[in-house]
């Protein structure tokens, strides 16, 4: 008879079945933890999920993927999980950018020499600036590949950070507090409106802010990752392929996924998390799920709501001081393939005027399905076009704060009706404006447009649970990127934050990296406790 003592598996609850949450859950289950992943949506994937209409499959938010190349973050994680990467093709060009009044795009090619020739032709005299970005990307990418923990919050984190440093890493230090705007001024390019506009467009996609505000070190990575040996990828089938594989790995290794269940609160005791309150959306049943660790794949604003009055005051104040995050307005079109020009790139950006910021319907980021990529029936295609928007436009300030009294119900119903009407009018206006803009490039007519649907910040709030429907995480300004951002390790013991509020930022590759970091931190803590 064996006297071997079997240690109980640490219990982990993961809040949110986006890519970050599923990655953390699948890795922890594979490493022997008891894992429950909870999400309020119908399907997993978060902003990288899909929906189907009339034979078309639309990617909800994310439409391209980084990190599938050998050594890339998805390649590393899927190799550990022993699951196949989804089929994909390189995006080449990664993006074709059309500036106002121009019919020839600025093509961001995957081949570094081809991209260098393109930018020298498009932006004469700017090559020293681009060479700085190239060098900073090389140093930063090598540093990141050694798995530093940023920002560090204890001795173990600091040791991981220290181990990742090499002599060339120190070459990035003089630029730690610089923005892209600073670099442009340093090279005498501050007055180059065309270059600045191009950078504003590209960086708004990756950093949520323009060139003037984006941290230079972050921009170097965001603008450099589309060139080989890295690159951006277009998935076959849909973006759902990523989450489907992660769910399969999670469940194969004994983890459990609960969809249509809402985590209503995170419980703590003496500064340590003890579990969560979960509500079954179908039955209304609420129960407390005990946990040794809680991994929150949510925005940092959502985290504060889940903690309520248990949130540390200093942490709460820091969140409240964050500049507002952007929302997205998205138009989903199912079209006859006659609407698509010949040799159309899979990803395009359009700016329609030089006035004002890159926001509020004067720019569009567009993704187009490829023939036989699984998103549309034969002879048809999908077009997904998104524009950044102020979430405040889509919410009536103060609504929902309290239930109306009996005496005020009639006026309250009338007010709600007026608000809904104003929302519908605004949504229709944005939809018509976006389609009118797209019609300058695509052949969009009553005959070629087969399906139209739109999503606003309200839509994203409803289906992803993200606070006010914001997308893309925290703007990558100097005070909020990398060493100055929000850590995976929160002030509450055994409560971990993953997703686009943490280093290294937005995108499926970024949130997967944050998940891997949190898993490593949990493992290190568990192994230390087991040793003692």
């Amino acid at each position: 008879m064996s006297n071997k003592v079997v240690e109980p598996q640490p219990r982990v609850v993961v809040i949110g079945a986006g890519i970050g949450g599923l990655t953390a859950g699948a890795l922890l289950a594979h490493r022997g933890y008891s894992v429950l992943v909870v999400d309020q949506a119908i399907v997993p994937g978060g902003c990288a999920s899909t929906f189907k209409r009339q034979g078309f499959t639309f990617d909800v938010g994310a439409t391209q993927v980084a990190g599938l190349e050998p050594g890339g973050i998805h390649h590393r994680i899927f190799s550990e999980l022993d699951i196949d990467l989804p089929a994909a093709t390189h995006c080449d060009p990664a993006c074709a950018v059309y500036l106002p009044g121009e019919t020839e795009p600025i093509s961001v090619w995957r081949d570094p020499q081809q991209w260098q020739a393109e930018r020298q032709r498009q932006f004469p005299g700017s090559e020293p600036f681009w060479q700085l970005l190239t060098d900073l990307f090389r140093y930063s990418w090598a540093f990141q590949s050694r798995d530093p923990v940023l920002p560090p919050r204890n001795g173990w984190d600091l040791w991981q950070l220290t181990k990742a440093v090499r002599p060339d890493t120190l070459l990035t230090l003089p630029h730690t507090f610089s923005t892209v705007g600073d670099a442009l001024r340093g090279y005498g390019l501050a007055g180059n409106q065309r270059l600045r506009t191009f950078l504003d467009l590209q960086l708004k996609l990756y950093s949520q802010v323009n060139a003037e505000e984006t941290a230079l070190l972050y921009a170097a990575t965001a603008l450099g990752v589309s060139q080989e040996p890295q690159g951006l990828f277009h998935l076959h089938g849909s973006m759902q392929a990523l989450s489907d594989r992660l769910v399969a790995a999670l469940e194969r290794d004994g983890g459990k996924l609960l969809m249509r269940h809402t985590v209503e609160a995170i419980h703590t005791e003496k500064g340590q998390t003890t579990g969560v309150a979960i509500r079954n959306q179908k039955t209304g049943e609420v129960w407390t799920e005990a946990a040794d660790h809680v991994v929150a794949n949510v925005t940092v604003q959502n985290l504060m709501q889940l903690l309520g009055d248990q949130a540390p005051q200093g942490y709460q104040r820091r969140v409240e001081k964050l500049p507002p995050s952007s929302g997205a307005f998205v138009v989903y079109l199912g079209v006859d393939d006659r609407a698509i020009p010949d040799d159309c790139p899979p990803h395009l950006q359009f700016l329609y005027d030089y006035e004002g910021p890159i926001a509020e319907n004067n720019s569009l980021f567009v993704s187009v399905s490829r023939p036989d990529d699984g998103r549309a029936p034969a002879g048809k295609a999908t077009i997904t076009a998104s524009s950044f928007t102020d979430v405040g436009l889509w919410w009536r300030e103060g609504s929902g704060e309290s239930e109306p009294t009996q005496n005020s119900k009639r006026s309250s119903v009338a007010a709600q009706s007026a608000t809904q009407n104003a929302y519908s009018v605004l949504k229709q206006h944005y939809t018509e404006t976006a389609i009118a803009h797209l019609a300058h490039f695509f052949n969009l007519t009553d005959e070629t447009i087969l399906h139209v649907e739109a999503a606003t910040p309200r839509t994203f709030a409803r289906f992803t649970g993200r606070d006010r429907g914001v997308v893309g995480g925290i703007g990558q300004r100097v005070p909020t990127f990398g060493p100055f951002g929000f850590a995976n390790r929160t002030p509450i013991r055994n409560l971990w934050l993953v997703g686009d509020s943490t280093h290294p930022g937005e995108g499926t590759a970024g949130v997967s990296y944050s998940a891997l970091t949190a898993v490593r931190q949990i493992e290190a803590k568990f192994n230390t406790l087991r040793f003692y």
Side-chain angles (χ1 to χ4, degrees):
M1 181 176 177
S2 174
N3 293 321
K4 182 179 179 180
V5 176
V6 178
E7 296 183 15
Q9 293 177 307
R11 176 72 168 166
V12 182
V13 173
V14 180
I15 306 171
I19 298 301
L22 290 175
T23 298
L27 287 172
L28 287 167
H30 193 64
R31 297 183 186 200
Y33 291 74
S34 174
V35 178
L36 172 65
V37 181
V38 184
D39 197 288
Q40 55 90 45
I42 300 173
V43 296
C47 288
S49 62
T50 60
F51 66 93
K52 299 179 184 295
R53 297 288 189 273
Q54 298 181 16
F56 295 101
T57 299
F58 295 101
D59 294 320
V60 167
T63 57
Q64 54 190 8
V65 181
L68 296 182
E69 73 282 355
I73 187 64
H74 289 307
H75 186 275
R76 290 174 57 195
I77 288 169
F78 278 48
S79 295
E80 176 177 336
L81 295 174
D82 195 25
I83 53 177
D84 294 332
L85 285 166
T89 54
H90 290 292
C91 296
D92 198 14
C95 195
V97 181
Y98 287 83
L99 299 183
E102 299 185 12
T103 57
E104 179 189 0
I106 303 165
S107 295
V108 183
W109 300 107
R110 183 168 182 264
D111 177 79
Q113 285 71 43
Q114 192 176 7
W115 168 227
Q116 182 181 38
E118 176 81 4
R119 68 191 186 228
Q120 288 177 345
R121 181 173 65 87
Q122 297 281 358
F123 311 111
S126 68
E127 192 55 27
F129 165 78
W130 289 105
Q131 283 303 315
L132 171 66
L133 291 183
T134 299
D135 291 341
L136 292 177
F137 171 68
R138 185 169 67 253
Y139 307 146
S140 298
W141 191 262
F143 171 69
Q144 187 68 42
S145 69
R146 293 188 283 270
D147 293 340
V149 174
L150 287 172
R153 288 293 182 266
N154 69 0
W156 186 87
D157 293 354
L158 185 60
W159 175 235
Q160 304 310 305
L161 175 60
T162 303
K163 288 195 302 180
V165 173
R166 299 290 187 276
D168 62 3
T169 312
L170 303 180
L171 297 174
T172 67
L173 291 182
H175 305 282
T176 301
F177 297 98
S178 297
T179 68
V180 176
D182 294 330
L184 290 173
R185 282 185 287 275
Y187 285 100
L189 298 168
N192 189 327
Q193 181 64 36
R194 191 165 180 275
L195 173 59
R196 184 178 282 270
T197 301
F198 170 78
L199 291 170
D200 282 347
L201 274 170
Q202 286 281 281
L203 290 173
K204 183 71 174 177
L205 283 177
Y206 303 122
S207 71
Q208 303 298 302
V209 290
N210 60 21
E212 187 59 41
E213 295 186 88
T214 300
L216 181 61
L217 294 181
Y218 182 87
T221 298
L223 296 172
V225 75
S226 56
Q227 274 73 60
E228 59 184 348
Q230 290 78 41
L232 301 178
F233 296 83
H234 180 80
L235 294 185
H236 296 178
S238 72
M239 290 293 294
Q240 197 74 39
L242 278 179
S243 54
D244 285 348
R245 282 164 170 75
L246 291 168
V247 169
L250 169 75
E251 295 179 337
R252 176 202 64 196
D253 293 327
K256 185 177 180 181
L257 173 65
L258 285 180
M259 301 303 298
R260 302 306 301 272
H261 285 71
T262 302
V263 172
E264 297 194 326
I266 297 172
H267 296 313
T268 69
E269 184 177 330
K270 297 180 180 179
Q272 177 170 319
T273 187
T274 58
V276 300
I278 301 174
R279 178 173 57 84
N280 183 321
Q281 294 180 10
K282 184 176 181 180
T283 65
E285 175 193 4
V286 178
W287 75 94
T288 295
E289 189 76 27
D292 299 297
H293 296 269
V294 173
V295 178
N297 178 210
V298 300
T299 70
V300 70
Q301 293 86 356
N302 284 107
L303 181 63
M304 293 300 93
Q305 294 165 13
L306 289 169
L307 286 170
D309 58 10
Q310 302 172 95
Q313 291 185 0
Y315 201 77
Q316 177 78 55
R317 284 194 297 269
R318 187 183 179 197
V319 173
E320 290 172 351
K321 290 179 180 179
L322 287 172
S325 297
S326 293
F329 176 82
V330 188
V331 172
Y332 307 97
L333 300 179
V335 299
D336 187 280
D337 62 8
R338 291 173 296 156
I340 310 299
D342 293 337
D343 301 318
C344 179
H347 301 286
L348 310 97
Q349 260 187 309
F350 299 96
L351 181 64
Y352 299 102
D353 63 67
Y354 280 111
E355 301 299 325
I358 307 302
E360 297 316 330
N361 235 11
N362 73 335
S363 69
L364 288 171
F365 176 68
V366 182
S367 297
V368 184
S369 64
R370 315 307 293 159
D372 302 319
D373 73 356
R375 288 171 174 80
K380 298 178 176 61
T382 63
I383 300 173
T384 302
S386 61
S387 175
F388 288 100
T389 184
D390 177 2
V391 295
L393 288 175
W394 304 91
W395 297 90
R396 183 170 67 88
E397 297 300 331
S399 65
E401 292 182 353
S402 61
E403 290 296 321
T405 64
Q406 186 65 34
N407 293 335
S408 67
K409 278 187 177 180
R410 183 172 300 174
S411 60
S412 178
V413 169
Q416 290 175 14
S417 178
T419 299
Q420 183 60 40
N421 183 61
Y423 169 76
S424 299
V425 169
L426 183 63
K427 184 177 180 180
Q428 184 63 27
H429 169 68
Y430 265 61
T431 302
E432 291 173 354
T433 301
I435 292 174
H437 284 327
L438 292 170
H440 292 295
F441 183 84
F442 298 96
N443 177 29
L444 299 181
T445 66
D446 290 341
E447 289 74 31
T448 60
I449 297 177
L450 307 176
H451 179 76
V452 179
E453 195 158 342
T456 75
R458 286 193 179 198
T459 317
F460 280 93
R462 178 183 176 189
F463 289 102
T464 70
R466 294 174 67 95
D467 178 58
R468 295 172 63 81
V470 300
V471 296
I474 297 170
Q476 297 295 311
R477 302 170 176 87
V478 169
T480 50
F481 97 104
F484 315 113
F486 284 90
N488 298 106
R489 195 186 299 272
T490 74
I492 294 175
R493 294 192 304 277
N494 294 357
L495 173 61
W496 312 88
L497 179 66
V498 303
D500 54 18
S501 290
T502 64
H503 176 76
E506 70 167 281
T508 57
V511 300
S512 296
Y513 188 92
S514 76
L516 176 61
T517 300
V519 168
R520 292 172 58 224
Q521 290 171 315
I522 291 170
E523 279 270 77
K525 186 165 188 175
F526 174 63
N527 289 334
T528 300
L529 291 173
R530 198 166 63 171
F531 176 79
Y532 286 105

